[in-house]
Amino acid sequence: MAQKVSVWTSNRFWRRSATWITGVASVLLILLTFDSMAQMKMGTAEDIAKKIDKRIPSPLVINYTIEYKLDPYRGHEIPIIGGEMQRKEGGIKSAYEKKEKFFGRDDYTEEEARALIHKGKLTIQAKNCMDCHTLLGNGAYYAPDLTKAWLDPTWETLAPAFNGKEYAMAAFLQDPPKMAMHERKMPNLGITEEEAKAVVAYLKFMSAIDTNGFPRNFGKIKGAVDARK
Amino acid sequence: MFEPCRDVVCSFWSYLNQGPMTLTIFLHTLIVLPMIWIYFDEKKRLERGDIPNE
């Protein structure tokens, strides 16, 4: 008859299990890192020309209209760049056709757009926006989430007075206390006109990044954004 | 359970992560099944008595 044994109190069993789990988890993490790197690769002008969706689109999206609409196929809201079209499999996707003027132009080259967005990113880092705001899930929730700030309906209401919402956003950034629209007033950070323009370009570009529907219902919940209404 | 990939950029991982079931089955296959095998392997060895006391 077999000897009565206790595997659960055996050191060897737990050691072998732990070694196996650690090994599998390490390999999984390495593979997932490579997958993330592929997912984070920025799209190109060619992708836009061929209407290929990328999670992070080409900087050229600042030449196009950007909306945030529910896609029944994906099951959440997605950025719609340059108007919508029907997806083969169902639902809607970006058409990359409808352009709009951004600071008077809709013909930024990929290099120009990339340089502008890069300057915006540097400004956002230099001014420590994340001390109060959230960008793509990182940062604080003292001030409004900036991930889809470009699509905040407040700017639509201000647009006519400034001849376009990009001008309204740039004016706000250059002197936030003057245009305060929240009880928690944003301080004047000494952002120059050029920097403000670049930050607005970055915000527009960021709103075109596919964040799997985050933040959900952005711009539709009264009081969450759009405090002026 | 097995649905077409609905991610923006599809990959092996996006198929797996579409719902809790696929991910659960995948991780159980990789981690839990081998542990069950390790359990019975260790049990066999202990019963044979070929493992020295630690």
Side-chain angles (χ1 to χ4, degrees):
Chain A
M1 198 180 120
Q3 194 187 334
K4 203 168 167 91
V5 293
S6 163
V7 183
W8 296 114
T9 54
S10 148
N11 272 346
R12 273 178 53 97
F13 166 70
W14 291 109
R15 197 163 55 226
R16 280 180 78 184
S17 298
T19 309
W20 174 255
I21 293 169
T22 310
V24 167
S26 310
V27 172
L28 273 181
L29 283 174
I30 291 167
L31 293 173
L32 279 169
T33 304
F34 281 106
D35 184 62
S36 300
M37 281 158 68
Q39 296 278 348
M40 287 189 294
K41 205 162 169 243
M42 206 183 219
T44 58
E46 205 188 330
D47 292 326
I48 287 195
K50 290 182 177 169
K51 302 186 195 298
I52 296 172
D53 294 319
K54 280 284 162 78
R55 191 172 294 279
I56 301 177
S58 159
L60 277 182
V61 293
I62 61 168
N63 289 328
Y64 294 87
T65 59
I66 295 167
E67 299 152 280
Y68 198 45
K69 288 188 177 172
L70 183 76
D71 174 11
Y73 184 75
R74 296 276 305 282
H76 49 67
E77 288 155 302
I78 57 165
I80 294 290
I81 304 157
E84 68 176 69
M85 59 187 265
Q86 295 297 313
R87 192 192 279 105
K88 250 198 342 270
E89 303 87 355
I92 52 169
K93 72 179 282 306
S94 303
Y96 303 101
E97 277 166 3
K98 210 164 113 197
K99 289 198 166 189
E100 73 177 0
K101 296 268 188 215
F102 184 70
F103 290 106
R105 285 179 59 190
D106 63 4
D107 57 350
Y108 288 91
T109 64
E110 200 165 28
E111 290 70 33
E112 282 175 326
R114 188 182 285 264
L116 199 59
I117 289 164
H118 185 63
K119 189 183 165 78
K121 186 183 119 180
L122 293 180
T123 309
I124 281 170
Q125 288 169 339
K127 304 292 178 186
N128 272 330
C129 298
M130 281 206 228
D131 275 358
C132 298
H133 294 279
T134 293
L135 287 86
L136 296 167
N138 297 309
Y141 274 102
Y142 184 75
D145 190 324
L146 294 185
T147 309
K148 301 286 173 195
W150 172 257
L151 306 167
D152 188 330
T154 308
W155 304 117
E156 293 296 346
T157 59
L158 292 172
F162 287 84
N163 220 4
K165 71 173 171 181
E166 67 273 33
Y167 292 102
M169 290 170 88
F172 171 77
L173 286 169
Q174 286 168 70
D175 193 0
K178 206 169 105 188
M179 280 171 71
M181 45 191 98
H182 269 265
E183 280 185 29
R184 299 174 188 175
K185 285 179 187 156
M186 178 168 157
N188 192 338
L189 299 168
I191 296 172
T192 65
E193 194 183 339
E194 280 303 301
E195 285 170 347
K197 189 178 161 185
V199 169
V200 177
Y202 186 86
L203 292 176
K204 182 167 184 184
F205 165 73
M206 186 162 54
S207 72
I209 294 176
D210 196 308
T211 48
N212 291 343
F214 170 86
R216 211 163 266 253
N217 294 320
F218 184 83
K220 296 186 184 102
I221 303 167
K222 211 175 170 189
V225 290
D226 201 13
R228 268 207 171 174
K229 267 189 182 170
Chain B
M1 191 169 83
F2 296 104
E3 290 183 5
C5 177
R6 298 188 178 209
D7 210 344
V8 205
V9 182
C10 282
S11 72
F12 174 67
W13 306 102
S14 51
Y15 278 100
L16 276 185
N17 205 14
Q18 284 206 95
M21 186 56 90
T22 38
L23 198 63
T24 306
I25 291 173
F26 175 69
L27 290 178
H28 273 71
T29 312
L30 269 185
I31 292 169
V32 179
L33 291 183
M35 271 183 75
I36 292 171
W37 180 80
I38 292 170
Y39 176 87
F40 285 106
D41 188 49
E42 284 299 315
K43 193 174 178 187
K44 203 169 67 193
R45 287 180 194 211
L46 282 168
E47 282 170 350
R48 278 207 308 258
D50 56 358
I51 293 174
N53 283 332
E54 290 190 3

